[in-house]
Amino acid sequence: SFRIFGYEQYKPGKRVVRSVRPYIVRYVVGGRGQFNGQAISRGDCYLSVPGQKYVIESDVEEPMVHYWFELIGSKAPLYVERIFGSTQPGIIRLSDITPYETTFSGLFFQDQSHRKLSTYLYSVFFDLLSLHQNEQDETSMISSPMMMYLEAVDYIESHLNRQIKVTDLCERLHIVPDYLYKIFKRYSGMSTQEYIVNSKMHVAA
């Protein structure tokens, strides 16, 4: 689900206006600035989401430094909700940025030639996810709509060789089609039927 990690030192006063396809989770480890007009500084973690424009501005006197990673795929909203409690753009204040910074600095600034990189990257990602899980009450990490979305996605992905009807999903989840439509639009950006068709096309390709 994660696609790429990064590290960036902003130039003084740098302003970025962009719209992207993946979710991007960023961690401020130095300096200060703004995200969508809200002040951010060391210890803040902020989220930009697919299809929505975001604006990042770095302070002139204390340029911002941050680490980041991208999330893609059908399970990306789950991980985003575990981190933020929401899939909407926003900022959370971490209780202690140090363990996150240590995890990232090990990835970027230590010799990893003795490791299998793909395995190590997964390890880094789940280390970060674990740190976030420790930040919040485990019982409130995943919302009911998210659980419905994940169950629906799992069903679709395991039945791609069969005919899948929206009504079948609704009966399975005990909800009406309109509500399922809203859930899929919220977490995937597509209608339920569009998601089914796209998934089948992806497998066929």
Side-chain angles (χ1 to χ4, degrees):
S1 287
F2 72 87
R3 183 167 69 176
I4 191 170
F5 290 94
Y7 170 78
E8 186 165 7
Q9 292 180 299
Y10 281 85
K11 294 180 180 179
K14 180 177 180 179
R15 187 171 189 265
V16 176
V17 181
R18 196 171 296 163
S19 178
V20 293
R21 292 183 63 188
Y23 292 93
I24 304 181
V25 181
R26 298 179 177 86
Y27 302 79
V28 183
V29 295
R32 53 196 176 94
Q34 291 190 340
F35 172 64
N36 289 345
Q38 298 182 62
I40 50 176
S41 59
R42 177 177 170 81
D44 285 327
C45 176
Y46 61 106
L47 171 72
S48 53
V49 304
Q52 294 193 27
K53 187 176 74 173
Y54 65 87
V55 181
I56 299 173
E57 297 179 81
S58 182
D59 189 72
V60 174
E61 296 180 357
E62 297 180 50
M64 197 159 51
V65 180
H66 70 213
Y67 293 102
W68 52 269
F69 65 83
E70 294 181 358
L71 281 167
I72 58 172
S74 60
K75 298 294 172 57
L78 165 64
Y79 296 124
V80 168
E81 184 143 317
R82 284 185 177 178
I83 293 170
F84 287 88
S86 169
T87 53
Q88 297 304 306
I91 304 167
I92 56 173
R93 184 72 181 176
L94 301 172
S95 58
D96 184 5
I97 190 64
T98 304
Y100 299 87
E101 187 174 20
T102 300
T103 300
F104 276 112
S105 62
L107 172 62
F108 287 101
F109 302 115
Q110 294 178 17
D111 180 16
Q112 305 298 342
S113 59
H114 62 290
R115 298 177 184 267
K116 184 179 179 182
L117 185 58
S118 59
T119 302
Y120 179 58
L121 290 177
Y122 272 103
S123 174
V124 169
F125 173 70
F126 284 107
D127 282 348
L128 292 169
L129 191 61
S130 177
L131 288 170
H132 280 288
Q133 288 178 346
N134 291 336
E135 292 269 346
Q136 51 189 300
D137 179 6
E138 202 171 77
T139 61
S140 64
M141 277 196 306
I142 306 176
S143 68
S144 178
M146 170 60 75
M147 290 300 293
M148 290 182 183
Y149 171 76
L150 291 174
E151 185 174 344
V153 166
D154 284 340
Y155 181 86
I156 292 167
E157 291 180 353
S158 61
H159 292 80
L160 288 174
N161 59 339
R162 305 177 190 176
Q163 183 181 11
I164 303 171
K165 297 180 180 179
V166 173
T167 51
D168 293 338
L169 285 171
C170 291
E171 287 179 10
R172 183 180 182 85
L173 297 170
H174 307 293
I175 57 176
V176 297
D178 284 350
Y179 187 54
L180 185 62
Y181 172 88
K182 290 178 181 178
I183 289 173
F184 267 83
K185 288 295 282 187
R186 174 181 176 185
Y187 292 116
S188 72
M190 294 180 277
S191 70
T192 315
Q193 188 61 43
E194 286 172 336
Y195 187 94
I196 293 170
V197 171
N198 281 9
S199 297
K200 285 181 174 289
M201 289 176 62
H202 178 74
V203 170

